[in-house]
């Protein structure tokens, strides 16, 4: 039976945005937490995109562009594809492990009567903060919130696809500060809805350098190997807007607590200096084809083509496919969030 929101101080709302990172604003907000003695078990509730999707998109009518339920996905840890966009586990899997919780199955998995004692995962690869982002092919944030309210629970990741979609589709949307305000504004609405029904603790990753993703880096002319500046600038603008919005929400919402992990610096460090982190390749994806293996063909089942190349050792790469990271990177980042200098773990201290 689900535990209603607001009945426990031990349920965490963790809002994590895939590649939400900033060069301008490295901000770790210190959260202090007074824990009361209790025997109640913690629960973890997850929303978002492919950073957290553990297989919900396996059960919706969508294309293989938004699915990862085929080989070689999952090859290093699970030894079979689960629907996760990586060779193994995701950040949310490791956070659950650190919190002494089991891996949470996808909410849509048909497994009879669900128990939400440990939490639930609503994330959907391709989802954005905006309803129009890949509309009809993903479980949008509003629907994720509705599913959440049905079982009275919560955790999060969102943002990248709102910007990525502008580059991988024939979008006519003008790139302007108003667009960033709209994306963050939609996100704020979702956060406030969760706040109204009991959510108080939120964790954020700021937006990553989108232009450095192999799938966007390859869009540069053939004589340029750097990141796609236009996409990177959009991420920077988003992160400034997110940073300022969180400060305002902290002042306006009583009891609202958050921690902001600098995913951008963490990822960019590994892209630029892979050897410092036990890696060999920071720019070229392990699975894909073309320049930087940026063509999203991993698995050979996507409409972009059946050909793909696969590296011998994903553990040596930052990127698993054209847009996603390897389990090694997710593990390192989760460890930084949990044990590092960021005060992210303080959100979990009452767990």
């Amino acid at each position: 039976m689900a535990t209603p929101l607001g009945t426990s101080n031990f349920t965490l709302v963790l809002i994590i945005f895939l590649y939400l990172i900033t060069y301008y604003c490295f901000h770790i907000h210190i959260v202090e937490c007074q824990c009361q003695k209790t025997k109640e078990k913690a629960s973890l509730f997850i929303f978002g995109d492919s950073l957290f999707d553990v297989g919900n998109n396996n059960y919706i009518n969508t294309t293989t562009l938004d699915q990862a339920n085929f080989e070689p996905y999952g090859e290093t840890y699970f030894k079979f594809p689960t629907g996760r966009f990586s060779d193994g586990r995701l950040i949310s899997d490791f956070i659950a492990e650190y919190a002494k919780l089991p891996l949470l199955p996808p909410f849509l998995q048909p497994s009879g009567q669900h128990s939400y004692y440990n939490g639930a995962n609503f994330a959907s690869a391709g989802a954005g903060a905006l309803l129009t982002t890949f509309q009809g092919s993903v479980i949008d944030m509003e629907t994720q919130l509705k599913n959440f309210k049905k079982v009275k629970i919560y955790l999060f990741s969102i943002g990248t696809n709102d910007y990525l979609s502008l580059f991988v589709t024939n979008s006519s949307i003008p790139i302007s500060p108003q667009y960033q305000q709209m994306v963050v504004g939609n996100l704020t609405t979702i956060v406030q809805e969760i706040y109204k029904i009991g959510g108080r603790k939120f964790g954020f990753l700021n937006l990553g350098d989108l232009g450095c993703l192999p799938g966007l880096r390859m869009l540069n002319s053939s004589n340029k190997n750097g990141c796609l500046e236009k996409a990177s600038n959009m991420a920077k603008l988003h992160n400034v807007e997110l940073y300022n919005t969180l400060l305002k929400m902290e002042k306006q919402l009583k009891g609202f607590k958050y921690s902001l992990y600098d995913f951008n610096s963490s990822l960019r460090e590994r892209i630029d200096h892979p050897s410092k982190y036990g890696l060999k390749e920071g720019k070229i994806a392990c699975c894909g084809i073309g320049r930087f293996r940026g063509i999203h063909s991993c698995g050979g089942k996507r409409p972009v083509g059946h050909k793909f190349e696969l590296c011998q050792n994903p553990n040596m790469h930052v990127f698993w496919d054209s847009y996603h990271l390897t389990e090694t990177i997710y593990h390192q980042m989760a460890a930084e969030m949990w044990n590092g200098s960021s005060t992210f773990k303080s959100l979990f201290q009452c767990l």
Side-chain angles (χ1 to χ4, degrees):
M1 182 176 179
T3 302
L5 287 182
T7 62
S8 168
N9 291 327
F10 299 88
T11 305
L12 172 70
V13 182
L14 176 59
I15 308 222
I16 301 188
F17 303 84
L18 179 55
Y19 302 122
L20 276 75
I21 295 56
T22 177
Y23 287 113
Y24 297 139
C25 310
F26 174 55
H27 173 70
I28 297 298
H29 186 83
I30 298 177
V31 180
E32 295 181 355
C33 164
Q34 298 292 329
C35 300
Q36 299 177 352
K37 292 182 179 179
T38 180
K39 294 182 179 179
E40 186 170 3
K41 188 175 178 64
S43 299
L44 186 61
F45 301 98
I46 304 168
F47 302 79
D49 53 27
S50 55
L51 181 64
F52 284 166
D53 188 353
V54 295
N56 277 307
N57 279 15
N58 297 350
Y59 306 103
I60 65 174
N61 183 19
T62 187
T63 72
T64 53
L65 287 171
D66 293 311
Q67 291 179 322
N69 53 354
F70 43 83
E71 297 178 346
Y73 288 92
E75 66 170 23
T76 59
Y77 180 77
F78 299 100
K79 308 303 181 186
F80 62 90
T82 64
R84 289 168 172 83
F85 279 79
S86 183
D87 59 302
R89 290 163 289 181
L90 308 177
I91 286 177
S92 52
D93 294 321
F94 290 111
I95 293 297
E97 180 181 323
Y98 294 146
K100 302 187 186 307
L101 297 170
L103 296 183
L104 298 173
F107 173 71
L108 294 183
Q109 178 175 293
S111 58
Q113 185 174 359
H114 285 270
S115 170
Y116 303 107
Y117 186 65
N118 293 308
N121 186 311
F122 303 98
S124 171
L130 302 179
L131 181 64
T132 54
T133 299
F134 299 126
Q135 189 171 15
S137 297
V138 302
I139 307 169
D140 60 76
M141 283 299 297
E142 289 187 13
T143 303
Q144 290 185 39
L145 181 61
K146 289 177 183 177
N147 288 337
F148 154 67
K149 287 182 175 179
K150 288 178 184 177
V151 293
K152 306 293 184 184
I153 47 184
Y154 37 88
L155 170 31
F156 272 74
S157 103
I158 213 72
T160 290
N161 294 301
D162 296 300
Y163 303 99
L164 189 62
S165 63
L166 303 183
F167 294 90
V168 299
T169 65
N170 294 321
S171 174
S172 59
I173 297 176
I175 297 175
S176 67
Q178 287 72 33
Y179 187 78
Q180 277 82 7
Q181 292 169 7
M182 184 169 60
V183 171
V184 174
N186 274 39
L187 164 65
T188 301
T189 299
I190 298 295
V191 173
Q192 289 176 335
E193 282 293 310
I194 295 173
Y195 175 86
K196 288 178 183 177
I197 51 179
R200 291 296 181 271
K201 299 178 185 178
F202 298 81
F204 298 85
L205 280 70
N206 52 6
L207 190 66
D209 196 332
L210 298 178
C212 296
L213 300 176
L216 294 188
R217 187 190 288 265
M218 68 171 290
L219 297 181
N220 265 325
S221 58
S222 58
N223 62 338
K224 292 184 179 180
N225 292 323
C227 303
L228 187 64
E229 187 175 352
K230 191 174 183 179
S232 296
N233 287 339
M234 291 191 73
K236 292 177 184 179
L237 290 172
H238 174 97
N239 293 330
V240 172
E241 185 70 23
L242 173 65
Y243 173 83
N244 291 331
T245 298
L246 290 176
L247 290 179
K248 291 178 183 177
M249 291 178 68
E250 181 186 37
K251 294 178 181 178
Q252 295 170 354
L253 302 178
K254 184 179 180 179
F256 177 84
K257 296 181 179 181
Y258 74 93
S259 180
L260 180 61
Y261 171 68
D262 191 2
F263 184 87
N264 182 292
S265 292
S266 182
L267 178 58
R268 190 60 189 258
E269 262 288 298
R270 287 162 172 80
I271 291 173
D272 292 341
H273 309 287
S275 61
K276 287 176 57 177
Y277 301 91
L279 309 165
K280 291 185 179 180
E281 180 52 62
K283 299 176 181 178
I284 301 173
C286 174
C287 188
I289 201 170
R291 292 179 67 216
F292 308 106
R293 296 200 180 112
I295 297 176
H296 196 37
S297 62
C298 186
K301 293 191 176 183
R302 297 194 167 101
V304 293
H306 298 294
K307 294 182 179 180
F308 71 97
E309 299 170 350
L310 182 66
C311 71
Q312 291 186 344
N313 190 353
N315 294 332
M316 294 291 102
H317 283 246
V318 170
F319 291 99
W320 162 249
D321 67 13
S322 309
Y323 302 103
H324 306 96
L325 309 180
T326 59
E327 180 187 77
T328 296
I329 301 302
Y330 288 139
H331 194 180
Q332 290 180 4
M333 289 181 170
E336 285 182 354
M337 292 165 68
W338 190 261
N339 299 314
S341 59
S342 82
T343 54
F344 189 87
K345 186 177 180 180
S346 63
L347 289 176
F348 290 84
Q349 286 178 345
C350 285
L351 294 183

